[in-house]
Every structure is written in structure tokens, then in C-alpha cells.
Amino acid sequence: MSSTYSPDLRIELIAEGDQAGTWGTTTNNNFQYVFESAIAGFQQVPIAPTSNNQVLTYVNGASSVPSLNQSVYAILELVPSSVSANFNVFAPPNSKAYLIYNTSGYTATFYNSTIIGNTTPAGGGITIPNNSKMSIWTDGTNFYGADDTAGGNFSVVGNLAIGGNLTVTGTTTHTGAVALNGGGTSTTPANSDNSTKIATTAFVQNIAGGLGTMSTQNANNVNISGGSINGVSGTNSGLTVGNASYATNAGNASTVTNGVYNNGGTYSINITGSSGYSSSSGTASNANAVFGKNKLGLGITSEAWQAPGKGINTQYYNGYSYPIEVAASCGVNNGPTYIAFYINGTQISQSSYDANGAYGRGTLTFIVPPYTYYQVNGSAGTTFWYELY
Amino acid sequence: MAIKHYKDADNNLHGFPDDGSQDHLIGDKILLTDEEYAVLQEQKTQEFVASLPAEVRMALEMPSQQEQMEALLAGGQTAADMLAKIKAIKAKYATA
């Protein structure tokens, strides 16, 4: 009768009556190279995976060469040999506990083989990041981390990094600063809450929407870029309004910038008491006094006719903040001409011209609003194209 | 300021200033040489004419009133040729 081997550590089990006179050597080898190695043995495992998979070595019985029986050892350090990517490590499909120190430079994932020596995962794996020391165990099918629950208090002397989510049922206390780099949420305090609770965006918006009477504003400037200002009254209040579309009854303001005065439905510019501007209604001596623009278009503020080299049947874009005027002609000698223009793809007008054999040209002159596309389609080549900008 | 011309996926033509001020509108349009632009512009002109109502296309093709008057005054074969030409154009667009 020959020896058999135990299922988990593959210990050589001597058949009864066998190995007369030599069984002591076999037994000692079991103690030294299997029991001792499985309890306290340490060795380095050079990582040189094939297709990112590496199998821990194994033998039946004991071996005095540690590298031939890596899978039986208690403590393994994964060291780089020929590795350039994350890899898997396959252990025999038997229950076992390991202490792993991964210094390979890459993340290792431990699996059980379905059959000892192969690289087919029998079940779930456990991931061990580079430079991590982990206690793991397997039931022969799935690998687990050994320490997923602390029964009593748990203290960390160094830093604590959590790759997943953190759920705290009780309260947390932070003595140092807390950085919420990904944003954070909180319950919204009541509007009347004047404690040290965190103000959420909802809280701020509720407060901002119900300011009521603001008796004192000590800031140097209050910049209101949208909405409207209503109910402002008082004399010599030093109110400054920037870019306001309507500033009604603001005669006592010391400064009105870019204001358009609505006088009972009649729009006029009424700037009183501002140096550099006329106080008479309907006068804008500078484009900056209207809508805050440097140019108003159409020749009002130094625009001039230009020949930009544009042509028919081609779309163009008015990228200016003011309207431009376009004058375009097309046609051939001795023939009628048809011409049309479009704003943002919509035909606005058309014209046909029959010169009765003379020098005939279809011509259109039109205004292009700011930031719009325009196009002139014609039945014959471009002869003139000028733009006022 | 010069203009650089492009075509889009449907061969529609677009012009942008070469100072780069509207380059954000170019997208995946294809830059054209002057020669390519001229060819496509003529093609778009023909497409535009073809899209016009039949009566407009007939008017564009018809000899000018001055040509018709001169042919009428010349009489003879010249007037007959002009009449034939006018009839041919009318016949062409009568079935359009």
C-alpha cells in the first residue's frame, strides 16, 4: 500500500506498515516543510505572470525547496520579477489562510483554481493593492478578507484610506478641518435658525428670497446683474445703477450709467447731473450711453462701408454686437436677374430685374441683426458686395 | 479682412473671416480652395435657379425686351427666329 495525501495541505499520510525504518524521515519532512511552513513559513513569490495569471506552486507531500510549494506557506510576499500590469494569483481549491504582503508594484487578486494548477476562478476573489499587507482566507472556492468586522472599539494610529463608501450610523466628531471636495449635502435649517448649523444652498436661497427690509448694507458695492430693482426711494441716497433697462424716477440718483428713461411710454435718455453728458432728453453723445456699447451699427458710431470679398449662395454670420447693413448685387449683361436674401435661413425678401438688354443687376440692401446668419442667393454671379460695419 | 470658404456635409457654402474671430462656428466643415469654392458656388447658383418657380425660370431664360424689339424691327428671318425662340421657351416651361 502506498502513501496518500491530505486534501488541504497535501501532507503525506503513510500507509499502515509502510516505510519501515524510513517513516521517521517522511514524518519529519511533514513537520518541517508542511506543518511549520503552513503555520509560520515565509517566502517571497517572484511575480512573472502569463496572460496576467500566476499559479502558486504545489507538490504532494513535503519539499525542502520553498519555491516548489508556495501554496502551503503561511506568509507570502509578492515581489516583482517580470510584471507590468495588475495580475491574478491562483491558489489550490482548498481551505487555507494567508498573510500577503504585495510589493509587486501592481494590484494582485487572489482566486481559487477550479482544479489545482489551472487559472480558472472557482469563485470570488480578493484584491490586494500594491504595498498592502492583508490577511485573507479561502473556503476552497471564494477568497475573503479576514478582517471585515471589528467587535469592539477600533483605533487607527496612522492614516485611514477608504476606497469605497463610508456609512456612519452614529455621530462623527472632527477635530481637524473637513474638506468636502466632491460637494456635500445637509439638512436645511429653518429660516429663523441663527445657530452654527451648516447653511445649505436651499437655506441661502430661502433667506435671499425673503430679505424683507435691509436696514444696513455696509459693503462698498452691491452688484445686481439680473432681475429688477423696485420700490427704491429717497433723496440724495447715492444710488448707482449699472446697465439698467429702466430707471424710473431716478432723478435724485447721483449717477445713472447706461440708463434708458421710460417717460410714460416714450423712451428717451435723461441723464441729469452726470459730467460729460447732455441733460436734455433724447441725446446720446456717445455709444456708451446706450446699452453700454462702443458701436451701434449702421454708421451711427463711425462704421464705414467695407468690401469684404463675399459672394452669393454662401452663408455668412454677423459676429458683431451691433447690426450691419449689406448691399449686394448680382447678374450678367443682357439678361434678367433674380436675387433673394435670408436671415437665419428664412427668406426675407426677393427682387428680379430685367434690364432690357442693358447693364442689368439684381440688387438688395438689407440690415443684418447682431449674431445672426445671412445669405444672398442669386441667379448669376456676384457683381457688388459691400457691408457697413 | 479676407474671407475663407468652407463646405458642410450637404455641400452648402459658408464664409468666415480669416482673422479667426468666427472659427468657433466652423465645426467639421471642410476648407475650400478658391478654385473649389468657385466651382461649388456656380453649382449652388444653378441649384438655386432650378429651385425657382417655373414662371421665374422662364423669365430668366427669355430674351430681353430690347432683343425682342430689335428682332421685330429687323423683320424677316430675324423676327421669325426670335418668335421661334420665344415659342420654344414657352413650350419648355408649359410642361414644367
Side-chain angles (χ1 to χ4, degrees):
Chain A
M1 186 179 294
S2 58
S3 296
T4 58
Y5 298 91
S6 66
D8 293 333
L9 297 179
R10 296 171 299 283
I11 302 162
E12 183 175 354
L13 306 174
I14 303 167
E16 187 174 350
D18 278 3
Q19 299 187 19
T22 62
W23 64 268
T25 300
T26 300
T27 302
N28 284 343
N29 284 342
N30 277 337
F31 275 104
Q32 182 175 356
Y33 299 121
V34 180
F35 298 154
E36 185 174 77
S37 298
I39 295 169
F42 167 84
Q43 70 166 295
Q44 290 183 325
V45 178
I47 299 300
T50 301
S51 300
N52 295 328
N53 293 323
Q54 178 154 336
V55 177
L56 295 180
T57 57
Y58 61 95
V59 294
N60 280 328
S63 172
S64 61
V65 181
S67 62
L68 297 180
N69 204 11
Q70 296 162 339
S71 60
V72 83
Y73 273 64
I75 308 165
L76 299 175
E77 180 182 0
L78 310 181
V79 298
S81 174
S82 176
V83 57
S84 58
N86 296 339
F87 58 93
N88 304 316
V89 176
F90 286 85
N94 305 107
S95 58
K96 180 78 169 67
Y98 293 101
L99 289 174
I100 304 297
Y101 183 21
N102 180 12
T103 60
S104 67
Y106 296 92
T107 296
T109 303
F110 270 70
Y111 291 101
N112 289 113
S113 302
T114 54
I115 299 172
I116 188 168
N118 74 9
T119 56
T120 303
I126 188 79
T127 297
I128 304 176
N130 183 43
N131 283 330
S132 296
K133 308 174 190 71
M134 285 182 64
S135 227
I136 62 175
W137 64 276
T138 172
D139 56 10
T141 301
N142 299 296
F143 262 98
Y144 304 96
D147 304 312
D148 64 356
T149 304
N153 295 330
F154 188 70
S155 297
V156 178
V157 176
N159 298 324
L160 176 62
I162 299 173
N165 298 322
L166 174 64
T167 301
V168 179
T169 304
T171 59
T172 59
T173 301
H174 299 268
T175 303
V178 177
L180 302 175
N181 296 329
T185 59
S186 176
T187 54
T188 298
N191 286 5
S192 58
D193 195 331
N194 194 27
S195 68
T196 58
K197 292 176 184 172
I198 294 174
T200 66
T201 52
F203 176 82
V204 173
Q205 289 181 357
N206 287 339
I207 292 296
L211 281 175
T213 300
M214 183 184 289
S215 58
T216 303
Q217 171 52 256
N218 290 325
N220 290 329
N221 297 291
V222 176
N223 184 9
I224 300 174
S225 57
S228 59
I229 302 173
N230 299 313
V232 177
S233 60
T235 58
N236 300 320
S237 59
L239 174 67
T240 298
V241 180
N243 297 317
S245 297
Y246 303 98
T248 305
N249 299 325
N252 290 319
S254 59
T255 304
V256 177
T257 305
N258 303 326
V260 177
Y261 179 55
N262 180 358
N263 182 13
T266 300
Y267 290 88
S268 61
I269 300 171
N270 191 343
I271 304 171
T272 304
S274 297
S275 61
Y277 297 103
S278 167
S279 61
S280 61
S281 298
T283 300
S285 60
N286 187 297
N288 279 317
V290 181
F291 304 130
K293 294 184 176 181
N294 293 319
K295 283 193 173 184
L296 298 178
L298 309 179
I300 299 173
T301 42
S302 304
E303 298 82 5
W305 286 102
Q306 315 284 341
K310 297 180 179 177
I312 62 170
N313 299 314
T314 304
Q315 187 182 68
Y316 299 100
Y317 181 70
N318 176 17
Y320 296 110
S321 62
Y322 52 87
I324 65 173
E325 185 167 3
V326 177
S329 300
C330 73
V332 293
N333 288 336
N334 304 318
T337 304
Y338 188 90
I339 189 170
F341 82 87
Y342 304 78
I343 297 293
N344 282 339
T346 300
Q347 182 173 348
I348 303 301
S349 183
Q350 66 185 45
S351 175
S352 59
Y353 186 79
D354 185 345
N356 293 330
Y359 194 68
R361 297 289 181 266
T363 299
L364 283 173
T365 301
F366 55 94
I367 294 171
V368 181
Y371 308 125
T372 55
Y373 290 94
Y374 59 102
Q375 180 166 343
V376 174
N377 283 354
S379 60
T382 312
T383 51
F384 287 96
W385 191 299
Y386 279 83
E387 294 184 347
L388 182 65
Y389 58 80
Chain B
M1 174 174 56
I3 300 295
K4 49 188 180 182
H5 289 100
Y6 291 77
K7 68 175 182 179
D8 61 23
D10 296 323
N11 271 350
N12 294 317
L13 297 173
H14 304 265
F16 302 101
D18 67 356
D19 62 2
S21 60
Q22 296 181 11
D23 282 358
H24 60 287
L25 302 173
I26 294 175
D28 57 0
K29 299 178 183 67
I30 299 171
L31 180 64
L32 300 172
T33 64
D34 290 345
E35 292 75 17
E36 291 170 332
Y37 172 66
V39 170
L40 272 179
Q41 190 183 34
E42 177 57 27
Q43 176 184 324
K44 301 305 284 189
T45 299
Q46 297 306 318
E47 289 176 4
F48 173 66
V49 171
S51 71
L52 296 173
E55 61 269 25
V56 176
R57 283 183 281 131
M58 184 174 72
L60 290 173
E61 195 170 330
M62 195 68 81
S64 70
Q65 293 175 10
Q66 178 177 336
E67 289 176 301
Q68 295 180 40
M69 183 63 73
E70 288 175 352
L72 182 63
L73 292 175
Q77 189 58 45
T78 303
D81 290 345
M82 176 59 73
L83 182 58
K85 183 176 182 180
I86 292 172
K87 284 182 175 178
I89 294 172
K90 285 186 173 179
K92 174 181 175 183
Y93 288 99
T95 57

